[in-house]
C-alpha cells in the first residue's frame, strides 16, 4: 500500500479561544463579556449566568490561564512543537468594550498586533474566530443580544475594524464558533454563549432561535463580503460543532429520526455554504406557524456571502432510537439519543468515535465540495501528575492518534480536501461547558486548579513530544 501522505502545506496546530485562555478580563480597557459573568461549574453542576459581575462568585474566565500576560512564553512552546498555525479568537470586548461604540480601543488592537507578530515571527499562521462565546455583556443588557437586529451592524463594524487592521497578518478567519450549539435552545448556556439570549425566558423560544440564527447568518454573510473587499486572499469559514447522529439500527424509523436530527445541524452549514435557507427549514416554519422577520435584501446578502470553507469541531458521535423519542439528550440536545454500545465515553459522557471523524469528513465534503478544516478535536481528561510533576497522558495520545489515523484515511483514500488540524485546548484552559480547570486537553500543562491553587506555570506533558514528531513527520509517525 502506498504511503498515505498529507499535503505538504497541511496546517498542523492547536486551538483555543480568547476568553478561555487570556484572563486580564479588565486589563487594557477591555469591557465585560458574557464569559465574564459565568461562574465555574463541574460535571453535572451547571455554570450560573449572573446579573453582572457579582462579588463573592468564582468567575474562572477572569484569570483563565493568563495568556494575556504570558503569550510570548506560550507561543515559544507552540513553535517548539512545530505549529504551522494557531487558532484563537479576538475578544470583541478588547476592541469595542461595550460593543456599540464608534471608535475601537487602541490598546486592545495593539494586543492582537503583538500576538500576531509573535506568531508570525515563528512562521505560525493565525487562524482567527471573530465570535467565540464572548460578545460584550452590554449588548445583552441594553439590546437583548442577537435577538436584536442592531447587533448585526455592531458585529460587522467590529469585524471590519479587525479584518482591516490585520489584513496583512491574518489570512484565515471564521465568523461564529459552533453557531449550531444554540439549536439546543433548551439549555441556557448554549443560547447564551452563542448569542446572548436565554431562549427559555421567551414566549416562543424556538421561533426566536430561528430569528437569532437569521441575524447571525446575515452578519456572517456581510462579514464575508466585506472581508473579500479588504483582502481577496482571505479565507473565511463558518464553524459548526459536528456531532454525527447515527441511527441506532437499520429500522427505517431510526434512520429517518437520524436524518431529521441531522437537519438541525446542517441547517447552519447549508445557509452559510449555499447561501439560502433550505426547504426543510421553511417547511418546518410553515408547519409551526413561525414568522421570521427578514429584510428585503437579506436573500441576496446570504447568496453573496457564502463561506470559503467549513471549520468544524469533532469530539464525539451520538445515536438515536425511534423508541426513545420524546427525551432530549443534555449533551447533544437531540431527541431520542441512546448510548452507542460500540463506542466508549469520556468521564464527561462524550462518546469517543474516531471512525466518526472519517465519516463526517466524507459527509461534509460530499454535501458541499468545499475545503474542510478540523479546528477542534481532543480529549478532556483529569491529568494526574507523577511525584516528579511529569504527566504521562497516554490516554490523550491514544485519542488523538486514532482520530488522526481516520483523518488521514479521509484525505488519502477518500479524497477529502482538508486544510488542517488544530486540536482543542493545546494549552490547558478553562472548560467552556463546566468552567473547570481540571478538564484538560493540553499538550502544555498549566498549574492551576479548581480549588484556586496553582502558579500558572507551564510544563510539557508527554503528548507534547508526541505531537511534535507528528507534525515533524507531517502525520507519518503517530
Ligand atoms: C467546543 C468549544 O464546544 O468545545 C470550546 O468551541 C470548548 O470553546 C470545547 O472549550 C470543549 O468543550 P469543554 O466544555 O470540554 O471545554
Amino acid at each position: 500500500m502506498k504511503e498515505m501522505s498529507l499535503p505538504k502545506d497541511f496546517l498542523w496546530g492547536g486551538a483555543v479561544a480568547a476568553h478561555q485562555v487570556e484572563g486580564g478580563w479588565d486589563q487594557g480597557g477591555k469591557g465585560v463579556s458574557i464569559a465574564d459573568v459565568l461562574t465555574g461549574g463541574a460535571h453535572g453542576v451547571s455554570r450560573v449566568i449572573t446579573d453582572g459581575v457579582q462579588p463573592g462568585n468564582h468567575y474562572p474566565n477572569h484569570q483563565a490561564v493568563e495568556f494575556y500576560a504570558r503569550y510570548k512564553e506560550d507561543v515559544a512552546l507552540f513553535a517548539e512543537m512545530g505549529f504551522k498555525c494557531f487558532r484563537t479568537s479576538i475578544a470583541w470586548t478588547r476592541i469595542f468594550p461595550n460593543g456599540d461604540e464608534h471608535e475601537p480601543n487602541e490598546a486592545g488592537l495593539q494586543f492582537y498586533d503583538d500576538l500576531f507578530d509573535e506568531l508570525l515571527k515563528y512562521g505560525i499562521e493565525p487562524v482567527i474566530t471573530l465570535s467565540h462565546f464572548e460578545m460584550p455583556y452590554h449588548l445583552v443588557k441594553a439590546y437583548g443580544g442577537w435577538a436584536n437586529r442592531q447587533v448585526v451592524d455592531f458585529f460587522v463594524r467590529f469585524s471590519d475594524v479587525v479584518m482591516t487592521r490585520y489584513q496583512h497578518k491574518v489570512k484565515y478567519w471564521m465568523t461564529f464558533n459552533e453557531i449550531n450549539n444554540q439549536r439546543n435552545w433548551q439549555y441556557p448556556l448554549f443560547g447564551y454563549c452563542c448569542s446572548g439570549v436565554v431562549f427559555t425566558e421567551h414566549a416562543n423560544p424556538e421561533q426566536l432561535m430561528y430569528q437569532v440564527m437569521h441575524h447571525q447568518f446575515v452578519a456572517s454573510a456581510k462579514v464575508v463580503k466585506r472581508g473579500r473587499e479588504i483582502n481577496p486572499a482571505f479565507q473565511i469559514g463558518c464553524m459548526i460543532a459536528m456531532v454525527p447522529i447515527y441511527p441506532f439500527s437499520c429500522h427505517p424509523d431510526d434512520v429517518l429520526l437520524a436524518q431529521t436530527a441531522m437537519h438541525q445541524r446542517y441547517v447552519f452549514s447549508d445557509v452559510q455554504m449555499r447561501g439560502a435557507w433550505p426547504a426543510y427549514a421553511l417547511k418546518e416554519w410553515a408547519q409551526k406557524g413561525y414568522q421570521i422577520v427578514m429584510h428585503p435584501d437579506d436573500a441576496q446578502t446570504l447568496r453573496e456571502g457564502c463561506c470559503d470553507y467549513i471549520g468544524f469541531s469533532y469530539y464525539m458521535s451520538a445515536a438515536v432510537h425511534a423508541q426513545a423519542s420524546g427525551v432530549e439528550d443534555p449533551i447533544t440536545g437531540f431527541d431520542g439519543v441512546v448510548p452507542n454500545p460500540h463506542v466508549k465515553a469520556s468521564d464527561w459522557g462524550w462518546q469517543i468515535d474516531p471512525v466518526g471523524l472519517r465519516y463526517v469528513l466524507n459527509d461534509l465534503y460530499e454535501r458541499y465540495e468545499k475545503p474542510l478544516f478540523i479546528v477542534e478535536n481532543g480529549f478532556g481528561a483529569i491529568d494526574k501528575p507523577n511525584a516528579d510533576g511529569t504527566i504521562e497522558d497516554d490516554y490523550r495520545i491514544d485519542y488523538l492518534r486514532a482520530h488522526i489515523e481516520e483523518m488521514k484515511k479521509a484525505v488519502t483514500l477518500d479524497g477529502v480536501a482538508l486544510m488542517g488540524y488544530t486540536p482543542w485546548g493545546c494549552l490547558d484552559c478553562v472548560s467552556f461547558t463546566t468552567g473547570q480547570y481540571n478538564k484538560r486537553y493540553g499538550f502544555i500543562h498549566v498549574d492551576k486548579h479548581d480549588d484556586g491553587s496553582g502558579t500558572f506555570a507551564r510544563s510539557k506533558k508527554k503528548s507534547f513530544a508526541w505531537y511534535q514528531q507528528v507534525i515533524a513527520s507531517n502525520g507519518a509517525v503517530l
Side-chain angles (χ1 to χ4, degrees), residues 400-456:
L400 294 171
R401 179 191 292 119
H403 284 77
I404 294 172
E405 269 165 3
E406 295 302 324
M407 171 183 98
K408 282 169 60 179
K409 288 180 198 161
V411 174
T412 60
L413 300 180
D414 308 333
V416 169
L418 183 63
M419 296 160 64
Y421 177 72
T422 58
W424 175 254
C426 48
L427 169 73
D428 281 353
C429 60
V430 175
S431 157
F432 148 57
T433 50
T434 66
Q436 289 172 292
Y437 281 107
N438 289 350
K439 186 181 188 191
R440 297 173 185 275
Y441 288 85
F443 305 112
I444 302 166
H445 179 259
V446 176
D447 177 35
K448 183 68 186 168
H449 309 277
D450 291 324
D451 62 6
S453 65
T455 61
F456 292 103

Side-chain angles (χ1 to χ4, degrees), residues 22 127 156 190 260 294 304 311 358 410 419 425 442 446 456:
E22 284 181 7
V127 176
V156 174
F190 292 100
T260 311
M294 298 188 187
E304 292 175 357
R358 181 177 179 184
M419 296 160 64
V446 176
F456 292 103

Side-chain angles (χ1 to χ4, degrees), residues 181 233 256 295 359 372 418:
N181 285 0
L256 200 64
H295 288 193
Y359 171 77
L372 305 177
L418 183 63

Side-chain angles (χ1 to χ4, degrees), residues 180-191:
N180 56 309
N181 285 0
Q182 60 199 321
R183 186 66 191 77
N184 195 350
W185 57 261
Q186 293 86 343
Y187 299 93
L189 183 71
F190 292 100

Side-chain angles (χ1 to χ4, degrees), residues 20 132-133 177-178 315 350 376 424 431-433 439 441:
Q20 289 171 269
H132 192 136
F133 306 163
N177 180 67
E178 292 193 343
Y315 293 92
W350 295 21
E376 288 183 33
W424 175 254
S431 157
F432 148 57
T433 50
K439 186 181 188 191
Y441 288 85

Side-chain angles (χ1 to χ4, degrees), residues 74-240:
D74 294 327
V75 171
L77 288 166
F78 300 154
E80 192 181 333
M81 264 189 288
F83 278 20
K84 312 282 182 214
C85 73
F86 172 59
R87 174 185 178 227
T88 188
S89 55
I90 293 177
W92 188 345
T93 48
R94 287 203 189 281
I95 313 302
F96 288 100
N98 284 326
D100 58 356
E101 299 92 339
H102 284 271
E103 294 305 320
N105 169 35
E106 178 56 31
L109 287 168
Q110 188 60 49
F111 169 69
Y112 292 105
D113 260 323
D114 296 345
L115 171 61
F116 300 152
D117 287 344
E118 194 68 15
L119 290 164
L120 294 169
K121 183 172 109 184
Y122 294 103
I124 301 174
E125 287 271 0
V127 176
I128 297 304
T129 316
L130 289 161
S131 181
H132 192 136
F133 306 163
E134 56 211 354
M135 72 182 296
Y137 183 63
H138 174 73
L139 295 184
V140 174
K141 291 301 275 187
Y143 296 87
W146 280 92
N148 187 331
R149 174 125 186 169
Q150 277 181 275
V151 174
V152 174
D153 296 334
F154 299 141
F155 181 71
V156 174
R157 184 187 301 155
F158 156 67
S159 303
D160 193 341
V161 164
V162 296
M163 289 190 302
T164 304
R165 175 88 169 210
Y166 308 123
Q167 59 181 297
H168 303 301
K169 299 183 181 180
V170 179
K171 176 178 173 195
Y172 300 99
W173 302 88
M174 275 170 280
T175 51
F176 294 95
N177 180 67
E178 292 193 343
I179 187 170
N180 56 309
N181 285 0
Q182 60 199 321
R183 186 66 191 77
N184 195 350
W185 57 261
Q186 293 86 343
Y187 299 93
L189 183 71
F190 292 100
Y192 192 69
C193 287
C194 280
S195 53
V197 180
V198 176
F199 290 104
T200 48
E201 289 174 353
H202 294 266
N204 193 338
E206 194 173 60
Q207 175 176 271
L208 182 61
M209 177 204 67
Y210 280 120
Q211 186 66 61
V212 162
M213 282 165 60
H214 184 68
H215 292 159
Q216 292 187 335
F217 290 152
V218 169
S220 174
K222 287 185 175 201
V223 166
V224 170
K225 251 186 105 176
R226 179 70 193 118
R228 288 194 182 122
E229 287 164 10
I230 294 169
N231 184 348
F234 278 175
Q235 293 289 302
I236 309 175
C238 61
M239 196 299 196
I240 57 169

